[in-house]
Amino acid sequence: MGTALVYDEEMTKYKLLWVDPACKIEVPERLTASYEALVRSGLSGRCVSVPARQASDAEILLVHSEEYLEAVKKTPYMTLEDLKEFTLQYGDVYFHPNIYHCAKLAAGSVLQLVDSIMTGKVRNGIALVRPPGHHSMRGAANGFCVFNNVAIAARYAKQKYGVKRVLIVDWDIHHGQGVQYCFEDDPSVLYFSWHRYEHQKFWPHLRESDYDSVGKGSGAGFNINVPWNKVGMENSDYLSVFCHVLLPAAYEFCPDLVLVCAGFDSAIGDPEGEMCATPDIFAHLTHLLMNLAGGKLCAALEGGYNLTSLAQSVCQTVQTLLGDPLPRLANLRSPCISALESLQCARSAHRQYWSFLKHAANPPLPEISTKPIKLAKEEEEPAETAEEESSGEAKVWPEPPQRSCPPVCSASVLPDDVAGADGLKRLSTSGALQPRLVNKLKNHFTKAADDGDAVATISRLHTLMEKMLTNEIGNGLALVPDVAAATMCFAQDLASDLVDRVLVVCVGNATGLNYVTTDGRALVVHISGEDGEERKSKYYIPVRLKQGCGDTSGFLQAVLGLLLPLGYEYDPGLVLLGRMPESGVGDGMWQQLIGLLRGFAKGHTLVLMQANEEACMGPTASALLGHPAAPLQELGAPFPQDGDALERLRERLQADWKMLQTTGRMDC
Ligand SMILES: CC(O)(O)NCCCCNCCCN
Ligand SMILES: [Zn+2]
């Protein structure tokens, strides 16, 4: 199933008709720059084009009041003076004779996406729309927004398709207060937003944008705010919040549909956000949401005012929706203290609502200042034009790397043409394996299995990996006689000669995995039901689940809170996933694990399974081919002791692994 793209140039046909420094950045070129970049890169041609349509009155009234709708209906007939007058009653927004038409198209475009996804015509999609939506409220326009496109879509999906739970992820750099107000007492809609806040000094200066707005009444816990109290946030800050706040709650919420308020003013170069996250971060943010709700993801453009980073960010998002391998995120730094404080505050505020956050450390939260805020000088007359930073120098960043899409058959069972001892000899003569390596393999490996099939296995694995590293195939699946031995031998001998870092994930009980590398060429994370060998090095991390790998909640908590952050920090060139016999891990969890691990190493994942586990090959191959994992059934709370143990393990490891940090000094 494909990816829908909704775009209509009619939505470029309105603009600011008078002088208003606050609104000058919201220009029609935002849409044309985004769309033309998709066309130029060939991405639009790979999408299913879905036409825009006007939202009906009834659909708009799902969120807005009749009084407001009737008022907006009058704007097409207003004189310039009337439009200015009409605009004065709202904040940081402007009207135009054609904006009502465009606002109906913007809302209708997102509904078209929801229809395409819910009827199974496509798997996911994006709507390039303006005016944006997430600031508009029941009775008011605000922040360039007229109708709340995504809020309307959420209500529409529930009403028309009986969707039970909708997750709204708002990665725009502004707080979508309109969405928060709409659903704050509604437990069927989980709203997550991060936003530039600077302790209420940043627009829209709302006290309710802070982390302690968790929702009201039965909606308590279903509103997650992560305020950024400093500018300059980077990729590692964003990923930490996804791994340690959003994803645990999102998986526990188990949505039937994911809507994204896809604002790209959170990217580097944007005059509003003044953040430093690079456009390729949106490839990963999108990917991390794509295994929820069976892959049903609907993104709607919100903000984004630097046309260069906006266009690049849109392309990164669409390319991930299409299933292409992700770019590696180079040299992630540790999350900054301010980000860690915000992260910790959000986790603490939600401890009581989400069992995945129950074990979050609970240092005393800073008291929130109640003194009136003093608007910064520039708030009255905002910064210069969209392209220059307020401090004058323009930000520069590298163009995101090319993301070649692997051939269709990216999951392949081992070619069985390479068999017997001659296979290894051929490899050694072909120079693929240095003779010393051949001996190392032979003596290391053959003691685990008889010579014949051991050698055959080795040579097959090597063939598979070579094809992967030359991008001939995206990833692979291998059935081997002895998974533990193959995994260790592969990591220790084969891979480390062909790639600089291998992330080795072992699932299930096994001995002999406690081989440690001190040089860091392999990082072994072993998730099992038994106590792993005592940790000898930073590169061997045993994670014990008291109830074994069949405990999906505990397993998932280890994946989201430990494996993902480690993987991002380690940035491997290859992922080796070994499924030990009788691991007990459920198919759904297994597919989620593969789906999430595909985000590393440009999707180069090699899965090793015991030869007798054919039954698991189907689900494994499906996940390797990028088909969304089946949604996990209702998740119970992780077992307390496991949650505690994981928290303690994380605290122990965070000295070595910065991405595991979740608490900063509490002086915010
Ligand atoms: C969709 C959105 O979230 O991007 N709208 C942002 C509205 C910003 C209003 N303030 C502008 C001040 C100019 N420096
Ligand atoms: Zn914004």
Side-chain angles (χ1 to χ4, degrees):
M1 281 207 289
T3 294
L5 171 61
V6 187
Y7 170 76
D8 188 318
E9 72 161 351
E10 179 60 22
M11 285 181 271
T12 65
K13 299 204 170 23
Y14 78 92
K15 62 181 181 180
L16 181 58
L17 295 175
W18 51 79
V19 174
D20 176 355
C23 295
K24 67 193 283 193
I25 52 176
E26 207 297 305
V27 295
E29 292 72 17
R30 297 179 53 236
L31 230 37
T32 44
S34 304
Y35 183 65
E36 282 160 13
L38 288 174
V39 173
R40 232 182 4 261
S41 58
L43 290 170
S44 63
R46 293 172 57 196
C47 293
V48 175
S49 175
V50 169
R53 75 165 167 86
Q54 297 192 52
S56 67
D57 286 10
E59 287 156 352
I60 293 166
L61 293 173
L62 285 170
V63 166
H64 297 283
S65 67
E66 291 204 14
E67 184 192 10
Y68 174 62
L69 177 54
E70 290 315 310
V72 174
K73 273 185 178 174
K74 297 188 175 77
T75 53
Y77 316 104
M78 287 181 182
T79 64
L80 186 62
E81 284 320 305
D82 291 348
L83 282 169
K84 275 185 185 175
E85 179 70 24
F86 183 77
T87 296
L88 286 180
Q89 60 187 319
Y90 304 119
D92 284 30
V93 62
Y94 63 86
F95 278 81
H96 176 283
N98 196 34
I99 198 169
Y100 168 55
H101 180 211
C102 296
K104 284 192 289 181
L105 283 173
S109 298
V110 189
L111 302 184
Q112 287 284 81
L113 261 193
V114 170
D115 286 345
S116 310
I117 289 164
M118 295 311 292
T119 58
K121 184 172 174 230
V122 295
R123 173 186 303 166
N124 54 39
I126 186 166
L128 294 181
V129 300
R130 71 186 274 274
H134 70 154
H135 296 299
S136 61
M137 292 157 270
R138 181 171 160 69
N142 180 266
F144 314 150
C145 307
V146 176
F147 298 138
N148 202 315
N149 309 319
V150 168
I152 293 169
R155 288 245 164 96
Y156 176 84
K158 286 170 65 185
Q159 182 188 70
K160 183 169 181 183
Y161 297 100
V163 165
K164 296 265 173 309
R165 290 181 301 278
V166 180
L167 168 65
I168 299 178
V169 177
D170 189 336
W171 67 47
D172 185 288
I173 205 59
H174 298 93
H175 180 221
Q177 85 278 28
V179 183
Q180 172 169 307
Y181 297 154
C182 191
F183 300 113
E184 68 188 333
D185 56 359
D186 183 346
S188 71
V189 178
L190 170 56
Y191 178 57
F192 167 91
S193 172
W194 62 38
H195 31 272
R196 182 176 172 181
Y197 188 58
E198 290 172 303
H199 301 294
Q200 210 176 330
K201 288 191 181 51
F202 188 70
W203 188 92
H205 311 293
L206 297 173
R207 173 69 187 73
E208 60 270 26
S209 301
D210 212 345
Y211 60 80
D212 58 335
S213 288
V214 295
K216 291 175 180 163
S218 57
F222 296 93
N223 191 83
I224 303 178
N225 284 338
V226 177
W228 298 121
N229 290 317
K230 288 201 173 29
V231 292
M233 293 300 168
E234 299 180 355
N235 294 344
S236 50
D237 302 307
Y238 287 8
L239 288 170
S240 297
V241 165
F242 261 54
C243 293
H244 298 306
V245 180
L246 172 59
L247 292 176
Y251 270 93
E252 186 168 344
F253 181 62
C254 194
D256 311 298
L257 176 65
V258 178
L259 304 181
V260 179
C261 289
F264 296 104
D265 42 16
S266 37
I268 189 166
D270 192 278
E272 279 293 297
E274 295 188 75
M275 297 298 171
C276 293
T278 49
D280 43 356
I281 194 62
F282 296 104
H284 286 267
L285 300 185
T286 305
H287 161 75
L288 289 169
L289 299 175
M290 275 170 72
N291 283 295
L292 292 161
K296 294 197 290 299
L297 186 149
C298 162
L301 180 67
E302 293 280 358
Y305 306 98
N306 175 313
L307 303 186
T308 308
S309 72
L310 168 61
Q312 289 174 2
S313 303
V314 166
C315 289
Q316 289 297 313
T317 303
V318 171
Q319 198 166 6
T320 297
L321 290 174
L322 285 164
D324 283 6
L326 278 72
R328 285 171 63 173
L329 289 173
N331 47 52
L332 288 176
R333 293 167 6 127
S334 78
C336 71
I337 293 291
S338 175
L340 288 170
E341 283 158 4
S342 300
L343 193 155
Q344 172 53 40
C345 290
R347 278 165 61 88
S348 294
H350 283 274
R351 265 166 62 94
Q352 57 182 298
Y353 302 112
W354 300 99
S355 58
F356 277 69
L357 301 176
K358 192 188 301 296
H359 307 285
N362 198 18
L365 290 185
E367 79 297 333
I368 292 163
S369 62
T370 49
K371 59 184 181 301
I373 42 132
K374 189 185 132 344
L375 281 195
K377 183 91 184 58
E378 68 275 2
E379 278 298 328
E380 272 85 43
E381 61 271 350
E384 299 103 75
T385 66
E387 294 317 308
E388 291 122 38
E389 293 303 300
S390 49
S391 51
E393 100 281 345
K395 286 268 184 205
V396 287
W397 62 92
E399 173 103 22
Q402 278 305 313
R403 295 165 57 184
S404 57
C405 41
V408 173
C409 66
S410 69
S412 62
V413 181
L414 281 170
D416 54 12
D417 59 339
V418 182
D422 64 336
L424 201 56
K425 200 156 65 274
R426 200 160 60 73
L427 283 174
S428 55
T429 49
S430 74
L433 285 179
Q434 293 74 6
R436 71 168 179 74
L437 190 56
V438 174
N439 299 331
K440 207 162 136 189
L441 286 178
K442 273 198 157 177
N443 62 43
H444 172 90
F445 192 76
T446 44
K447 67 176 175 300
D450 73 83
D451 198 68
D453 66 7
V455 164
T457 300
I458 298 238
S459 48
R460 287 178 181 170
L461 288 182
H462 187 274
T463 310
L464 202 57
M465 197 178 75
E466 263 193 326
K467 286 186 173 178
M468 235 187 283
L469 297 179
T470 54
N471 233 16
E472 196 183 326
I473 55 171
N475 50 39
L477 158 61
L479 295 177
V480 293
D482 177 338
V483 186
T487 306
M488 280 306 100
C489 144
F490 196 94
Q492 197 155 348
D493 306 324
L494 281 183
S496 50
D497 266 45
L498 287 165
V499 68
D500 48 1
R501 285 186 300 281
V502 188
L503 171 61
V504 185
V505 182
C506 300
V507 172
N509 297 354
T511 54
L513 295 179
N514 64 339
Y515 115 97
V516 286
T517 59
T518 46
D519 63 359
R521 299 190 67 95
L523 165 62
V524 180
V525 178
H526 181 196
I527 304 176
S528 74
E530 58 191 7
D531 275 319
E533 285 86 353
E534 188 36 49
R535 205 166 65 84
K536 289 191 188 61
S537 102
K538 123 178 201 181
Y539 297 107
Y540 174 69
I541 298 171
V543 180
R544 179 171 191 272
L545 297 175
K546 291 245 180 348
Q547 318 296 326
C549 294
D551 162 24
T552 298
S553 294
F555 195 103
L556 186 63
Q557 195 176 30
V559 169
L560 299 178
L562 191 92
L563 180 55
L564 280 186
L566 283 174
Y568 275 114
E569 182 163 352
Y570 186 61
D571 181 26
L574 176 75
V575 175
L576 180 56
L577 171 58
R579 178 192 171 109
M580 303 303 146
E582 285 94 52
S583 69
V585 65
D587 273 0
M589 185 63 243
W590 177 247
Q591 289 195 321
Q592 290 286 344
L593 175 62
I594 293 172
L596 289 166
L597 287 175
R598 284 180 80 237
F600 299 121
K602 295 195 271 191
H604 295 319
T605 309
L606 177 56
V607 179
L608 304 180
M609 298 196 308
Q610 199 74 17
N612 63 6
E613 292 216 88
E614 286 87 357
C616 180
M617 275 179 55
T620 304
S622 160
L624 283 171
L625 285 163
H627 301 150
L632 297 171
Q633 70 290 345
E634 290 294 292
L635 290 170
F639 287 86
Q641 65 270 43
D642 282 345
D644 255 351
L646 187 78
E647 203 57 38
R648 281 199 313 277
L649 175 61
R650 224 199 350 233
E651 271 151 27
R652 239 187 13 249
L653 290 169
Q654 66 184 6
D656 285 328
W657 299 98
K658 300 281 170 279
M659 285 294 286
L660 295 180
Q661 295 176 75
T662 57
T663 53
R665 282 193 326 281
M666 276 298 141
D667 58 9
C668 61

